[in-house]
Amino acid sequence: MDSLQDFEASNTNPSNILTPNFPASLSITTVTGANTNTNFSATASSSSSPSSTSPSTLSRYENQKRRDWNTFGQYLRNHRPPLSLSRCSGAHVLEFLRYLDQFGKTKVHTPLCPFFGHPNPPAPCPCPLRQAWGSLDALIGRLRAAFEEHGGKPEANPFGARAVRLYLREVRDSQAKARGISYEKKKRKRAPQAPPLPPPNVNQNQ
């Protein structure tokens, strides 16, 4: 996802860190090995990978999921005060998502902007850049899966918390209005069914 790649790149520039809770020393370790069942703790090493699995055998989704998981683990370690994964809640997930907004590339018009609700603005405007709803939704899906793969219980998954679902829904609705687009999935039209064949004529003369 572009947002997390920008998030990783920005750590080389301390001026990009806008929130005191996230120090400029934040660094991200990119790992391309397979997901392993490590201890259920954010302090576990994220650079280990089984020697029996080649990185080339992993799908793009699995590689991105592992990168996202390592990024969130780094966020927990650099949190002030440091935060363990077992104590992470939906509120901390929301804090993480809001922090990522500063690395967004999607223009979200404010209600006072003349281009509010305009899908193709004819001129630039000073409205802020945010993370697109689709990117955040996909990110949460990968982190929710990674949480359980690393030993977390589904009922304690902070990425599946109701507050996170409501936040994503709010982002989707607000961005749809601001950008003049619809995130509703189009229903596939069913092909018209052919009329049934008439039964064979059984009254033919023998």
Side-chain angles (χ1 to χ4, degrees):
M1 187 179 70
D2 292 340
S3 61
L4 287 189
Q5 292 172 359
D6 296 337
F7 176 49
E8 294 170 4
S10 70
N11 294 315
T12 60
N13 184 1
S15 64
N16 286 334
I17 304 302
L18 304 181
T19 307
N21 287 338
F22 308 93
S25 60
L26 182 64
S27 62
I28 303 301
T29 302
T30 301
V31 182
T32 57
N35 286 314
T36 57
N37 292 325
T38 57
N39 292 334
F40 182 55
S41 172
T43 59
S45 174
S46 61
S47 60
S48 61
S49 61
S51 58
S52 60
T53 304
S54 172
S56 60
T57 63
L58 291 177
S59 67
R60 181 179 179 182
Y61 170 82
E62 291 297 329
N63 277 326
Q64 187 63 61
K65 181 171 61 175
R66 189 173 181 86
R67 288 167 60 91
D68 295 341
W69 182 251
N70 292 336
T71 300
F72 188 74
Q74 192 72 33
Y75 152 77
L76 293 179
R77 288 189 291 274
N78 287 276
H79 192 274
R80 294 293 178 268
L83 185 65
S84 65
L85 185 59
S86 60
R87 299 183 62 182
C88 180
S89 67
H92 297 111
V93 175
L94 295 182
E95 186 182 58
F96 179 63
L97 295 181
R98 294 188 180 103
Y99 171 68
L100 290 179
D101 261 339
Q102 65 180 295
F103 307 102
K105 295 181 178 181
T106 299
K107 178 77 70 173
V108 179
H109 302 289
T110 63
L112 298 179
C113 178
F115 303 137
F116 182 81
H118 199 300
N120 298 301
C125 67
C127 291
L129 296 176
R130 295 285 184 260
Q131 293 291 343
W133 164 77
S135 297
L136 294 179
D137 187 58
L139 170 65
I140 288 299
R142 291 190 295 268
L143 290 175
R144 185 171 61 242
F147 178 87
E148 297 179 12
E149 290 174 2
H150 285 77
K153 297 181 180 180
E155 60 272 15
N157 194 329
F159 304 102
R162 183 173 182 269
V164 176
R165 296 196 304 270
L166 292 176
Y167 175 78
L168 290 176
R169 185 183 306 171
E170 179 183 347
V171 171
R172 181 194 64 185
D173 294 344
S174 62
Q175 289 192 6
K177 293 179 181 178
R179 302 176 61 198
I181 59 177
S182 175
Y183 289 115
E184 297 296 332
K185 293 182 179 180
K186 295 182 179 180
K187 295 182 179 180
R188 294 182 179 179
K189 295 182 179 180
R190 295 183 179 180
Q193 297 181 353
L197 296 175
N201 190 356
V202 297
N203 294 327
Q204 293 179 349
N205 294 330
Q206 298 181 354

